[in-house]
Amino acid sequence: MIRLLMRDLILALRAGGGFGLGLGFFLILVTLVPFGVGPNSERLAAIAPGVLWVGALLACLLSLDRIFALDYEDGSLDLLATAPVPLEGLVAMKALAHWITTGLPLVIAAPLLGVLLHLDMAAYKWLIITLLIGTPALSFIGAFGAAITVGLKRGGLLMSLLVLPLYIPTLIFGAEVVRRGAQGFEVTTPLLMQGGITAGAIALLPFAAAAAIRISLR
């Protein structure tokens, strides 16, 4: 399992598709928003939680097709499926590798980019916390969507249509926690809901993704 994780991390860093693409898109989106809505600091501060979370969501979405597609094309996925280790564990390691190369850089960059949107100082702590809790769910949900469409030609659009509705609860609760934190309100309920979504995704979706891969390889 650890060797598979290291292999995916090395491939992602060499190719640059996950790390560079997602982070670059996140930077471009946040940089362009002030040009689109105007330089009013109060307006930017009001929309900053939603913009940062939408940017993180879309940045994660960009590299989802790389989770299984490359291994499927070169035949590595067939070997992994027949390896003497649980396929569910392999799926979990690939989702974890996606989070390390895509989600974690977004967590680190988000507070820096929040300055461009005049994010309230009280919200920075909650932005980091919600991204740390929520972005793993994006990777595991994305791995499930990638597993369903792995054997399909041009399955990227279909994967996006499948994954985006599942992303919405994480987006809603994440942005709500940041918004409430900026205003000094109670954040326990949406934070627990977001944590529950992430825990459920990590616990259940590797099994669903493994089943989808087995069907695709038949």
Side-chain angles (χ1 to χ4, degrees):
M1 294 293 185
I2 301 300
R3 290 181 179 178
L4 176 64
L5 176 62
M6 296 304 299
R7 167 185 174 269
D8 285 357
L9 291 177
I10 292 172
L11 290 177
L13 292 175
R14 285 179 178 176
F19 178 83
L21 182 62
L23 197 57
F25 176 84
F26 193 35
L27 174 61
I28 292 171
L29 175 65
V30 175
T31 303
L32 290 179
V33 166
F35 292 101
V37 303
N40 186 289
S41 59
E42 294 183 359
R43 182 186 305 166
L44 289 173
I47 66 173
V51 170
L52 291 169
W53 254 101
V54 169
L57 185 152
L58 295 177
C60 285
L61 185 65
L62 285 177
S63 58
L64 289 181
D65 59 339
R66 299 175 62 87
I67 295 180
F68 298 114
L70 297 179
D71 289 332
Y72 180 82
E73 292 172 0
D74 64 13
S76 300
L77 192 60
D78 297 271
L79 297 176
L80 293 174
T82 57
V85 291
L87 185 56
E88 294 79 6
L90 299 176
V91 171
M93 288 298 103
K94 283 190 157 295
L96 178 59
H98 178 269
W99 178 77
I100 293 174
T101 57
T102 302
L104 187 57
L106 298 178
V107 176
I108 298 172
L112 302 176
L113 297 179
V115 177
L116 299 177
L117 300 178
H118 299 275
L119 183 67
D120 193 282
M121 289 300 298
Y124 279 92
K125 175 180 70 174
W126 299 111
L127 176 64
I128 296 172
I129 290 174
T130 54
L131 287 174
L132 279 173
I133 295 175
T135 48
L138 302 183
S139 292
F140 276 82
I141 293 172
F144 170 65
I148 292 178
T149 59
V150 66
L152 302 178
K153 294 182 178 179
R154 299 179 181 178
L157 177 59
L158 177 59
M159 180 187 63
S160 299
L161 294 175
L162 291 172
V163 167
L164 278 176
L166 301 178
Y167 275 0
I168 291 177
T170 299
L171 168 66
I172 292 174
F173 291 122
E176 183 65 18
V177 169
V178 180
R179 190 177 299 111
R180 290 190 182 188
Q183 298 171 354
F185 295 154
E186 179 65 35
V187 301
T188 303
T189 300
L191 190 63
L192 289 176
M193 292 296 293
Q194 187 187 43
I197 293 171
T198 299
I202 294 174
L204 300 176
L205 291 184
F207 294 93
I213 291 174
R214 291 188 181 99
I215 293 173
S216 299
L217 295 179
R218 287 179 181 175

Tab-separated table of all heavy atoms in Angstrom, residues 1 8 10 29 38 44 57 85 111 114 136 179 186 192 196:
chain	number	residue	atom	x	y	z
A	1	MET	N	0.826	-1.201	0.000
A	1	MET	CA	0.000	0.000	0.000
A	1	MET	C	0.869	1.265	0.000
A	1	MET	O	0.621	2.196	-0.753
A	1	MET	CB	-0.908	0.000	1.250
A	1	MET	CG	-1.950	-1.110	1.271
A	1	MET	SD	-3.193	-0.902	-0.008
A	1	MET	CE	-4.279	-2.252	0.411
A	8	ASP	N	2.355	6.747	-6.837
A	8	ASP	CA	1.440	7.748	-7.362
A	8	ASP	C	1.924	9.163	-7.071
A	8	ASP	O	1.757	10.066	-7.894
A	8	ASP	CB	0.047	7.533	-6.767
A	8	ASP	CG	-0.670	6.349	-7.374
A	8	ASP	OD1	-0.106	5.736	-8.295
A	8	ASP	OD2	-1.784	6.034	-6.928
A	10	ILE	N	5.085	10.118	-6.770
A	10	ILE	CA	6.220	10.400	-7.650
A	10	ILE	C	5.743	10.691	-9.067
A	10	ILE	O	6.200	11.644	-9.720
A	10	ILE	CB	7.208	9.223	-7.647
A	10	ILE	CG1	7.876	9.107	-6.268
A	10	ILE	CG2	8.271	9.394	-8.730
A	10	ILE	CD1	8.719	7.861	-6.103
A	29	LEU	N	-8.416	31.650	-10.679
A	29	LEU	CA	-9.800	31.960	-10.324
A	29	LEU	C	-9.881	33.052	-9.268
A	29	LEU	O	-10.618	34.031	-9.420
A	29	LEU	CB	-10.494	30.688	-9.832
A	29	LEU	CG	-11.918	30.871	-9.309
A	29	LEU	CD1	-12.840	31.320	-10.435
A	29	LEU	CD2	-12.437	29.587	-8.681
A	38	GLY	N	-15.389	43.832	-8.884
A	38	GLY	CA	-14.984	45.164	-8.452
A	38	GLY	C	-14.092	45.124	-7.229
A	38	GLY	O	-14.011	44.120	-6.530
A	44	LEU	N	-16.031	41.913	-1.526
A	44	LEU	CA	-15.121	40.779	-1.681
A	44	LEU	C	-15.077	39.937	-0.409
A	44	LEU	O	-15.054	38.699	-0.477
A	44	LEU	CB	-13.720	41.284	-2.030
A	44	LEU	CG	-13.541	41.858	-3.431
A	44	LEU	CD1	-12.154	42.471	-3.576
A	44	LEU	CD2	-13.753	40.787	-4.494
A	57	LEU	N	-12.939	23.350	-4.898
A	57	LEU	CA	-13.734	22.242	-5.454
A	57	LEU	C	-13.411	22.018	-6.925
A	57	LEU	O	-13.153	20.887	-7.358
A	57	LEU	CB	-15.212	22.550	-5.249
A	57	LEU	CG	-16.239	21.485	-5.648
A	57	LEU	CD1	-17.487	21.646	-4.774
A	57	LEU	CD2	-16.646	21.640	-7.119
A	85	VAL	N	-3.594	-7.865	-2.633
A	85	VAL	CA	-3.989	-6.875	-1.625
A	85	VAL	C	-5.409	-6.432	-1.963
A	85	VAL	O	-5.828	-6.503	-3.127
A	85	VAL	CB	-3.035	-5.658	-1.613
A	85	VAL	CG1	-1.676	-6.043	-1.092
A	85	VAL	CG2	-2.924	-5.035	-3.000
A	111	PRO	N	-5.213	30.335	2.445
A	111	PRO	CA	-5.078	31.529	3.293
A	111	PRO	C	-4.317	32.668	2.606
A	111	PRO	O	-4.638	33.839	2.805
A	111	PRO	CB	-4.306	31.005	4.508
A	111	PRO	CG	-4.572	29.548	4.535
A	111	PRO	CD	-4.672	29.139	3.106
A	114	GLY	N	-6.655	34.214	0.257
A	114	GLY	CA	-7.720	34.934	0.951
A	114	GLY	C	-7.413	36.402	1.130
A	114	GLY	O	-8.323	37.238	1.230
A	136	PRO	N	-10.409	16.008	1.717
A	136	PRO	CA	-10.330	14.549	1.555
A	136	PRO	C	-11.615	13.946	1.010
A	136	PRO	O	-11.577	12.998	0.214
A	136	PRO	CB	-10.033	14.049	2.974
A	136	PRO	CG	-9.344	15.183	3.626
A	136	PRO	CD	-9.998	16.413	3.074
A	179	ARG	N	-18.084	31.333	6.772
A	179	ARG	CA	-18.915	32.533	6.862
A	179	ARG	C	-19.337	32.799	8.309
A	179	ARG	O	-19.270	33.930	8.798
A	179	ARG	CB	-20.144	32.362	5.972
A	179	ARG	CG	-20.971	33.627	5.791
A	179	ARG	CD	-22.131	33.396	4.841
A	179	ARG	NE	-21.654	33.017	3.519
A	179	ARG	CZ	-21.816	31.809	2.987
A	179	ARG	NH1	-22.414	30.854	3.679
A	179	ARG	NH2	-21.369	31.532	1.792
A	186	GLU	N	-21.916	30.524	15.924
A	186	GLU	CA	-21.626	29.129	16.245
A	186	GLU	C	-21.408	28.324	14.960
A	186	GLU	O	-22.180	28.441	13.996
A	186	GLU	CB	-22.795	28.530	17.029
A	186	GLU	CG	-22.629	27.070	17.398
A	186	GLU	CD	-21.478	26.855	18.364
A	186	GLU	OE1	-21.231	27.727	19.223
A	186	GLU	OE2	-20.816	25.810	18.237
A	192	LEU	N	-19.650	19.705	12.048
A	192	LEU	CA	-19.901	18.286	12.282
A	192	LEU	C	-20.516	17.618	11.046
A	192	LEU	O	-20.197	16.465	10.738
A	192	LEU	CB	-20.816	18.104	13.492
A	192	LEU	CG	-20.194	18.402	14.861
A	192	LEU	CD1	-21.244	18.269	15.959
A	192	LEU	CD2	-19.021	17.477	15.138
A	196	GLY	N	-18.861	14.580	9.088
A	196	GLY	CA	-19.596	13.339	8.845
A	196	GLY	C	-19.577	12.920	7.388
A	196	GLY	O	-19.455	11.724	7.068
